[in-house]
Coordinates of all heavy atoms in Angstrom, one line a residue:
H194 N 44.5 51.1 -33.6 CA 45.4 51.2 -34.7 C 46.4 52.3 -34.5 O 46.2 53.2 -33.7 CB 44.6 51.6 -36.1 CG 43.6 50.6 -36.5 ND1 42.7 50.8 -37.5 CD2 43.3 49.3 -36.0 CE1 42.0 49.8 -37.7 NE2 42.3 48.8 -36.8
Y198 N 44.5 56.0 -32.1 CA 43.4 56.7 -32.8 C 43.9 57.6 -33.9 O 45.2 57.8 -34.0 CB 42.7 57.6 -31.6 CG 41.4 58.2 -32.1 CD1 40.3 57.5 -32.6 CD2 41.2 59.7 -31.9 CE1 39.2 58.2 -32.9 CE2 40.1 60.3 -32.2 CZ 39.1 59.5 -32.8 OH 37.9 60.2 -33.1
Y199 N 43.0 58.1 -34.7 CA 43.4 58.9 -35.9 C 43.2 60.4 -35.5 O 42.1 61.0 -35.9 CB 42.6 58.4 -37.1 CG 42.9 57.1 -37.6 CD1 42.2 56.0 -37.2 CD2 44.0 56.9 -38.4 CE1 42.5 54.6 -37.6 CE2 44.4 55.6 -38.9 CZ 43.5 54.5 -38.5 OH 43.9 53.2 -38.8
Q202 N 42.4 63.6 -38.1 CA 41.0 63.8 -38.7 C 40.2 64.7 -37.7 O 39.0 64.9 -37.9 CB 40.3 62.6 -39.1 CG 40.9 61.9 -40.2 CD 40.5 62.5 -41.5 OE1 40.2 63.6 -41.6 NE2 40.2 61.8 -42.6
R206 N 36.5 66.0 -38.4 CA 35.2 65.5 -37.8 C 34.3 66.7 -37.2 O 33.1 66.7 -37.3 CB 35.6 64.5 -36.6 CG 36.2 63.2 -37.2 CD 36.4 62.2 -36.1 NE 37.6 62.5 -35.4 CZ 38.8 61.7 -35.7 NH1 38.8 60.8 -36.6 NH2 40.0 62.0 -35.0
F225 N 34.7 53.2 -43.7 CA 36.0 53.1 -43.0 C 35.9 53.8 -41.7 O 36.6 54.6 -41.4 CB 37.0 53.5 -44.0 CG 37.1 52.9 -45.3 CD1 36.5 53.7 -46.4 CD2 37.6 51.7 -45.6 CE1 36.5 53.2 -47.7 CE2 37.6 51.2 -46.8 CZ 37.1 52.0 -48.0
S226 N 34.9 53.5 -40.8 CA 34.6 54.2 -39.7 C 35.5 54.2 -38.6 O 35.5 55.0 -37.7 CB 33.1 53.8 -39.2 OG 33.2 52.5 -38.7
Y227 N 36.3 53.1 -38.5 CA 37.1 52.8 -37.4 C 36.2 52.9 -36.1 O 35.2 52.2 -36.1 CB 38.3 53.7 -37.4 CG 39.3 53.3 -36.2 CD1 39.9 52.0 -36.1 CD2 39.9 54.3 -35.4 CE1 40.7 51.7 -35.1 CE2 40.7 53.9 -34.4 CZ 41.2 52.6 -34.2 OH 42.0 52.3 -33.2
G230 N 34.5 57.9 -35.0 CA 34.6 59.4 -34.8 C 33.7 60.2 -35.7 O 33.0 61.1 -35.3
F231 N 33.7 59.9 -37.0 CA 32.8 60.7 -38.0 C 31.3 60.4 -37.7 O 30.4 61.2 -38.0 CB 33.1 60.4 -39.4 CG 34.3 61.2 -39.9 CD1 35.5 60.6 -40.1 CD2 34.1 62.6 -40.3 CE1 36.6 61.3 -40.5 CE2 35.2 63.3 -40.8 CZ 36.5 62.6 -40.9
D247 N 32.8 49.2 -41.2 CA 34.3 48.9 -41.1 C 34.5 47.3 -41.1 O 33.5 46.6 -40.7 CB 34.9 49.4 -39.8 CG 36.4 49.7 -39.8 OD1 37.1 48.7 -39.7 OD2 36.8 50.8 -40.1
S248 N 35.7 46.9 -41.4 CA 35.9 45.4 -41.4 C 36.5 45.0 -40.1 O 36.9 43.9 -40.0 CB 36.8 45.1 -42.6 OG 38.0 45.9 -42.5
S249 N 36.6 45.9 -39.2 CA 37.2 45.5 -37.8 C 36.1 45.5 -36.7 O 35.6 46.5 -36.5 CB 38.3 46.5 -37.4 OG 38.5 46.5 -36.0
A275 N 31.6 44.9 -42.3 CA 31.6 44.5 -43.7 C 32.7 45.1 -44.5 O 33.3 46.1 -44.1 CB 30.2 44.8 -44.3
D276 N 32.9 44.6 -45.7 CA 33.9 45.2 -46.6 C 33.2 46.5 -47.3 O 32.0 46.3 -47.8 CB 34.2 44.2 -47.7 CG 35.2 44.8 -48.6 OD1 34.9 45.6 -49.5 OD2 36.3 44.3 -48.6
V277 N 33.8 47.5 -47.2 CA 33.1 48.8 -47.8 C 32.8 48.6 -49.4 O 31.7 49.0 -49.8 CB 34.0 50.0 -47.6 CG1 33.6 51.2 -48.5 CG2 34.0 50.5 -46.1
N278 N 33.8 48.0 -50.1 CA 33.6 47.8 -51.5 C 32.3 47.1 -51.9 O 31.5 47.4 -52.7 CB 34.8 47.1 -52.2 CG 36.0 47.9 -51.8 OD1 36.3 49.0 -52.4 ND2 36.8 47.3 -50.9
D297 N 36.8 57.4 -45.8 CA 38.1 57.7 -45.2 C 38.9 56.3 -45.2 O 39.1 55.9 -44.1 CB 38.0 58.2 -43.8 CG 39.3 58.6 -43.1 OD1 40.3 58.7 -43.9 OD2 39.3 58.7 -41.9
P298 N 39.3 55.8 -46.4 CA 40.0 54.6 -46.5 C 41.3 54.6 -45.9 O 41.9 55.6 -45.8 CB 40.0 54.3 -48.0 CG 40.0 55.7 -48.5 CD 39.2 56.6 -47.7
P299 N 41.9 53.3 -45.6 CA 43.3 53.2 -45.3 C 44.1 53.6 -46.4 O 43.7 53.8 -47.6 CB 43.5 51.7 -45.0 CG 42.4 51.1 -45.6 CD 41.3 52.0 -45.8
Ligands
SAH404 N1 37.6 57.4 -40.3 C1 38.3 56.8 -39.1 C2 39.7 56.3 -39.5 C3 39.7 55.3 -40.6 S1 41.1 54.3 -40.8 C4 38.4 57.8 -38.0 O1 37.9 58.9 -38.1 O2 38.9 57.4 -37.0 C5 40.6 53.1 -41.9 C6 39.7 52.1 -41.5 O3 39.4 51.3 -42.6 C7 40.3 51.0 -40.4 O4 39.4 51.1 -39.4 C8 40.1 49.7 -41.1 O5 39.7 48.6 -40.2 C9 39.1 49.9 -42.2 N2 39.2 49.1 -43.4 C10 40.2 48.8 -44.2 N3 39.8 48.1 -45.3 C11 38.5 48.0 -45.3 C12 37.6 47.5 -46.1 N4 37.9 46.9 -47.3 N5 36.2 47.5 -45.7 C13 35.8 48.1 -44.6 N6 36.8 48.7 -43.6 C14 38.0 48.6 -44.1

Side-chain angles (χ1 to χ4, degrees):
H194 294 179
Y198 188 54
Y199 295 91
Q202 289 281 32
R206 287 186 281 258
F225 309 97
S226 67
Y227 188 48
F231 279 103
D247 203 281
S248 54
S249 159
D276 181 293
V277 165
N278 303 291
D297 184 21

